[in-house]
Amino acid sequence: MSKTYQTFATLQRQKAQLRDHAVLSSGIQLASWFNQGDRVTNLSDHHTLSLYVAEGYDTWHKTQHGWRNGGGPDRFCLMPQGSESTWDVRAELAFVHLYCTDEHLRHLAEQIWDRSPAQLSLHEKVFAGDDRITQLYRHFLLSCDWQQPASQMVLTTASTLLMTHLLQNYSDVQWQAPQIRGGLAPVVLRRITDYIAAHLDQPLTLAHLAQEAALSEFHFARMFRHSVGMAPHQYVMQQRMNRARDLLSHTPLSLTDIALQCGFHSSSHFSNRFSQAFGVAPSVWRRGAHCSV
């Protein structure tokens, strides 16, 4: 059973509308919300990183000196564990939350630096701007279907990058990330690529691949990129698309069956990703492949 985060539960009791929700294998969760005409007070036992996606200009935060606003698209708020906050959402606001715990951050720090920080506290930020946070949310988290198993690796990778960014820029740790100078050993890389090829119909995760390589997720992702020239989630999607193209060209399988064999549980999601990769819909590609035979 997945953890219920207090901020998530609080918003469900308010006027906020839950638009999407994803539970990652690590227990980290993502939630997409819409709210307006609501006042929310929250005190949580976890960390919340929020990005305003649309509107939010008339959202107010209560401070010791009175109400303050400054919201809008791409503004972010970081509410650390134990911080109490009150918000007055007077007009429309669409926002996305990432929920994680101290344990998640400590585990990540141990993976990256092979040591655990003596003290770990995040700095509260309200209506702040950070291009890296905006990029990770919009380019990764908001550009894929959270309910598709094929999206799990993208969601996990982006969440890990976001938490790493928080540790390095908004915590008492602020250690520099270690330099990864080499790639995977050829025999390990071959084992990983063979594993991916054999499991394209399944929801591959960064944790699975890192485990196959006997590395932490952080070090595996960087060594894989060094060896292959692209991130693991990009490589996996490329292989899914190449498999789909071959099946369309050389088998009579239906589009639904091809989608399933390539790790997509929705024909529409498969069609969208195929069109993005090759510029045409799968059905159009198949007709063209048959015409060229």
Side-chain angles (χ1 to χ4, degrees), residues 40-41 89 107 111 127 175 189 214 216 251-252 257 265 285-286:
V40 181
T41 296
V89 185
H107 178 67
Q111 281 195 336
F127 304 140
W175 296 334
L189 180 60
S216 73
T251 76
D257 287 339
H265 288 192
W285 179 278
R286 169 167 273 174

Side-chain angles (χ1 to χ4, degrees), residues 276-292:
Q276 291 173 12
F278 299 113
V280 295
S283 56
V284 176
W285 179 278
R286 169 167 273 174
R287 286 198 299 271
H290 286 171
C291 290
S292 64

Side-chain angles (χ1 to χ4, degrees), residues 73-132:
D74 297 335
R75 297 286 95 183
F76 83 90
C77 300
L78 174 59
M79 309 311 297
Q81 171 182 311
S83 64
E84 183 174 12
S85 57
T86 298
W87 308 84
D88 193 359
V89 185
R90 302 177 187 177
E92 293 186 353
L93 168 64
F95 56 104
V96 182
H97 278 173
L98 182 151
Y99 307 123
C100 66
T101 65
D102 252 12
E103 289 73 22
H104 290 129
L105 293 177
R106 287 190 175 279
H107 178 67
L108 180 60
E110 290 166 1
Q111 281 195 336
I112 297 174
W113 293 285
D114 295 322
R115 54 181 171 146
S116 182
Q119 299 291 328
L120 178 56
S121 59
L122 296 181
H123 307 152
E124 181 176 302
K125 294 290 179 180
V126 178
F127 304 140
D130 188 311
D131 290 341
R132 180 61 170 163

Side-chain angles (χ1 to χ4, degrees), residues 59 193 226 245:
T59 297
T193 55
H226 188 279
R245 182 181 57 188

